[in-house]
Amino acid sequence: MKKKILIRLLFILSLVFIFRYTMLPEPSLGIGMSKGEINLIPFKGLGDPLSTGFMVNVGGNIALFIPFGFILPIMYPKLRSTLTVTLIGLSLSIMIECIQLTMPNRWTDINDVILNTFGTYIGFRLFRKQGDGSHASEA
C-alpha cells in the first residue's frame, strides 16, 4: 500500500514539475520573461550548443519528461510498450504547446515537443533497464 502511494505521489510530482516549468515564468532560467512566439521549424533557434541557454533549453526539456516516462508504466502497468509511452509523452507535450499558444509570454516550439518526447522515451528506456519492464513488449 505504501509503495502505491509513493508511486502516485511521484507521478503527481512529475506532472507538477512539468506544468510548473511549462506554464509559469521562471526568471532564474529566463523562462517566460519575454514576448512569446511560435517556432514550427525543427531545431531552429536552439542556439550555440556550448551556451548556457542551449543547455537549459535542451537539457531542461529532456530532463523534465524523464521522470514522467519512467513512472508512467509503473503507475499504469498495462502501458509497457515503447511506442505507447512515447506517444503519451508526445500527446502531453503537444497539449502543453497548444495551451502556451494562448499565453503571451510563452513560446510554442516544435523543439519542445521533440525534446519532451525524447525525454519521455529516455525515461521509459530507463524503466525497462531497471528490471520491472524487462518483460514488456517493444511494439
Side-chain angles (χ1 to χ4, degrees):
M1 186 58 120
K2 287 182 182 183
K3 185 177 177 182
K4 272 189 172 183
I5 292 170
L6 178 62
I7 290 167
R8 284 187 181 140
L9 180 63
L10 289 173
F11 184 71
I12 290 167
L13 283 174
S14 77
L15 291 174
V16 166
F17 272 96
I18 288 170
F19 286 99
R20 160 65 182 101
Y21 286 102
T22 60
M23 298 297 165
L24 301 175
E26 180 51 54
S28 68
L29 297 174
I31 298 172
M33 304 310 297
S34 61
K35 183 180 181 301
E37 295 183 30
I38 299 172
N39 173 38
L40 300 177
I41 302 170
F43 310 111
K44 177 185 173 199
L46 287 178
D48 177 7
L50 299 176
S51 71
T52 303
F54 179 90
M55 298 305 278
V56 167
N57 186 20
V58 173
N61 275 296
I62 292 171
L64 198 55
F65 274 71
I66 289 174
F68 178 77
F70 187 90
I71 299 167
L72 187 66
I74 298 170
M75 182 81 177
Y76 299 100
K78 290 185 179 185
L79 301 177
R80 296 285 170 105
S81 83
T82 302
L83 181 61
T84 301
V85 171
T86 303
L87 287 175
I88 291 170
L90 171 69
S91 299
L92 177 59
S93 185
I94 289 171
M95 180 185 76
I96 289 166
E97 296 303 313
C98 288
I99 292 169
Q100 287 179 342
L101 277 170
T102 68
M103 303 171 78
N105 293 340
R106 299 305 303 210
W107 276 75
T108 297
D109 195 336
I110 190 66
N111 294 322
D112 293 349
V113 174
I114 294 167
L115 297 167
N116 296 161
T117 302
F118 187 55
T120 302
Y121 171 79
I122 291 171
F124 181 75
R125 298 305 299 173
L126 290 171
F127 161 77
R128 292 277 308 264
K129 224 179 206 1
Q130 62 86 32
D132 281 349
S134 60
H135 53 76
S137 69
E138 191 54 38

